[in-house]
Amino acid sequence: QVRLVESGGGLVQAGGSLRVTCAASGSAFSINDMGWYRQAPGKQREFVAGITVPGSTNYLSSWQGRFTISRDNTKNTVYLQMNSLKPEDTAVYYCNAASASTLIWGQGTQVTVSS
């Protein structure tokens, strides 16, 4: 069984940067693709970025250029570097991972961007 734990969220001023981290534990050897989603208050959860085991990435076009996803397979960890943050980036950021035909979610980490 795989467990995902996000960390690194917090309060940042507009224009600042933040890196959120997602660490997998348990049967992490079974993890394939990983990704980040976010959910702002009153809105649906939306895709931000995804990354395969070898490191191929894809982004929703809105984020590309400001957000960068990466992973360290030796640490079973995926990262999301967020730059030039805007107040509209305020949301709970969730990590997910595909494992044995199952999609696993973390509990989320809050990112708040002040204007």
Side-chain angles (χ1 to χ4, degrees):
Q1 187 172 358
V2 175
R3 181 170 177 250
L4 302 176
V5 178
E6 298 98 331
S7 62
L11 175 64
V12 63
Q13 287 189 333
S17 298
L18 205 61
R19 187 178 79 162
V20 290
T21 299
C22 173
S25 61
S27 301
F29 61 88
S30 67
I31 291 176
N32 295 309
D33 295 354
M34 300 186 76
W36 286 96
Y37 284 69
R38 72 183 196 183
Q39 187 166 18
K43 295 187 177 181
Q44 289 188 330
R45 192 171 298 189
E46 58 183 352
F47 173 77
V48 176
I51 187 166
T52 65
V53 172
S56 296
T57 59
N58 65 297
Y59 300 86
L60 191 65
S61 59
S62 307
W63 322 135
Q64 198 159 7
R66 294 195 300 124
F67 293 0
T68 303
I69 189 171
S70 61
R71 69 190 286 174
D72 184 338
N73 293 327
T74 65
K75 297 180 180 179
N76 299 315
T77 300
V78 64
Y79 307 95
L80 184 68
Q81 176 69 41
M82 301 180 287
N83 299 324
S84 302
L85 283 162
K86 306 174 182 179
E88 51 264 42
D89 293 319
T90 294
V92 178
Y93 284 72
Y94 295 93
C95 167
N96 75 357
S99 173
S101 303
T102 300
L103 197 59
I104 300 161
W105 292 90
Q107 82 291 347
T109 185
Q110 176 71 47
V111 172
T112 303
V113 184
S114 63
S115 57

